[in-house]
Amino acid sequence: MAAALRALLRPAARRRALPPPPPARPLLGARACSAGAPFQYLSVQKTGARQSVGLIQLNRPQALNALCEGLMQELRGALEALEKDPQVGAIVITGSQKAFAAGADIKEMQSKTFQECYGSGFLAGWDKVSLVRKPIIAAVNGYALGGGCELAMMCDIIYAGEKAQFGQPEILLGTIPGAGGTQRLTRAVGKSLAMEMVLTGDRISAAEAKEAGLVSKVFPVEKLLDAAISCAEKIASNSKLVTAMAKESVNAAFETTLAEGTRTEKRLFYATFATDDRKEGMTAFVEKRKANFTDS
């Protein structure tokens, strides 16, 4: 299966393995979904100066982090644990320096039939990533192709290493994106570029992805993870409740009409006035001091 994935990739120079994440406390109680066993395909921990960032590292190197069902099941479990953890205010998902994720698991899909896909709602569980209320940052180094690109786009912010590559090469396998690729990519980069990428299978570089609006910032490979964690810490220092409202409002811009989106924004804006954190934030501003947010 790894060979099949590599057939879609041009030869690339060898890169150093991903350095160990910054010192962090293991995520308490974070386990795989089945029988309480440790994660097989992920590394999950809390990091940051205040342990306020959940860090999930995809760890299936022999298959370039191909997103098999086992990995995605573990990812859903990790996200659920971090969602419930009151200490965590933001989440970072990353891979290795060679591959964020080189796609869905082709070997798992190869023998599936229409009846199986439709009857089981194949890939429907992937939507969990986009439903998490806490902000998620994708820190992308190397390949983010097919399902890997779709996973990154399910996150709220994408930071890229300067050697990252993004693409939807499903057309080369005789199929199309099935986890939101045609929809999120079009909303991110516009119809023309999205159509070109989907219909040719061609990839774009990190610099091209930033220019097109797919990623927020590009960093040297070795600085990417620290930058993503720093951004997550900044987000986590704000009110968790109001942050969730802000995320919901921004997402409404992609999922509704302008009229409906502005109504959603107003409703959520008014709702902040019922929170202690809104009172604290404005009072701190008037008193010229740092706000001490407590709502979770």
Side-chain angles (χ1 to χ4, degrees):
M1 187 264 305
L5 283 170
R6 290 189 176 91
L8 294 175
L9 309 174
R10 291 188 295 270
R14 289 186 177 273
R15 302 183 180 93
R16 293 182 295 108
L18 182 68
R25 180 157 57 96
L27 178 63
L28 299 178
R31 299 295 179 187
C33 296
S34 58
F39 289 117
Q40 179 180 355
Y41 302 116
L42 304 177
S43 171
V44 183
Q45 56 191 296
K46 292 194 289 192
T47 189
R50 300 176 64 183
Q51 301 293 298
S52 60
V53 177
L55 176 60
I56 301 175
Q57 182 176 358
L58 310 183
N59 186 29
R60 198 184 177 207
Q62 74 282 5
L64 299 175
N65 290 334
L67 304 174
C68 63
E69 180 51 40
L71 187 154
M72 293 306 295
Q73 183 179 0
E74 289 185 1
L75 181 58
R76 291 192 293 272
L79 289 171
E80 288 173 2
L82 293 169
E83 181 90 286
K84 295 175 183 177
D85 190 325
Q87 189 176 17
V88 172
I91 300 166
V92 173
I93 299 178
T94 193
S96 69
Q97 287 190 5
K98 188 170 186 179
F100 175 73
D105 193 314
I106 300 170
K107 189 175 182 179
E108 281 189 348
M109 293 190 292
Q110 184 179 7
S111 61
K112 285 189 178 293
T113 65
F114 164 76
Q115 289 86 345
E116 289 174 318
C117 291
Y118 189 84
S120 65
F122 182 49
L123 301 184
W126 289 36
D127 292 339
K128 171 62 181 176
V129 180
S130 63
L131 299 176
V132 173
R133 299 181 73 184
K134 293 179 179 179
I136 304 177
I137 301 172
V140 178
N141 267 322
Y143 302 119
L145 306 178
C149 187
E150 290 172 312
L151 174 59
M153 291 190 292
M154 290 179 195
C155 300
D156 303 299
I157 298 170
I158 303 178
Y159 277 8
E162 57 192 359
K163 295 182 181 179
Q165 297 182 43
F166 299 84
Q168 299 290 163
E170 289 87 349
I171 197 77
L172 305 178
L173 301 174
T175 186
I176 68 171
T182 62
Q183 304 303 300
R184 291 189 176 93
L185 186 63
T186 304
R187 285 165 170 76
V189 306
K191 178 183 176 181
S192 182
L193 180 55
M195 194 71 81
E196 180 182 5
M197 292 173 67
V198 170
L199 297 185
T200 66
D202 287 348
R203 287 169 271 163
I204 59 174
S205 67
E208 291 169 324
K210 183 180 185 304
E211 183 179 3
L214 181 60
V215 307
S216 299
K217 295 178 181 177
V218 177
F219 299 90
V221 171
E222 65 278 5
K223 295 182 178 180
L224 171 66
L225 187 56
D226 285 343
I229 291 171
S230 177
C231 179
E233 284 189 281
K234 185 179 295 185
I235 292 170
S237 70
N238 296 319
S239 165
K240 294 180 178 65
L241 181 61
V242 177
T243 294
M245 292 179 178
K247 173 174 173 172
E248 180 182 347
S249 188
V250 173
N251 280 334
F254 287 86
E255 298 166 359
T256 64
T257 64
L258 176 60
E260 181 58 33
T262 53
R263 281 194 290 269
T264 297
E265 180 186 71
K266 281 290 190 298
R267 174 177 57 82
L268 291 169
F269 169 68
Y270 296 152
T272 66
F273 282 75
T275 69
D276 292 336
D277 279 349
R278 195 280 312 168
K279 297 174 186 176
E280 165 63 13
M282 291 189 176
T283 300
F285 178 84
V286 171
E287 296 178 352
K288 300 182 179 180
R289 61 175 174 82
K290 182 177 176 59
N292 180 29
F293 297 121
T294 57
D295 282 338
S296 59

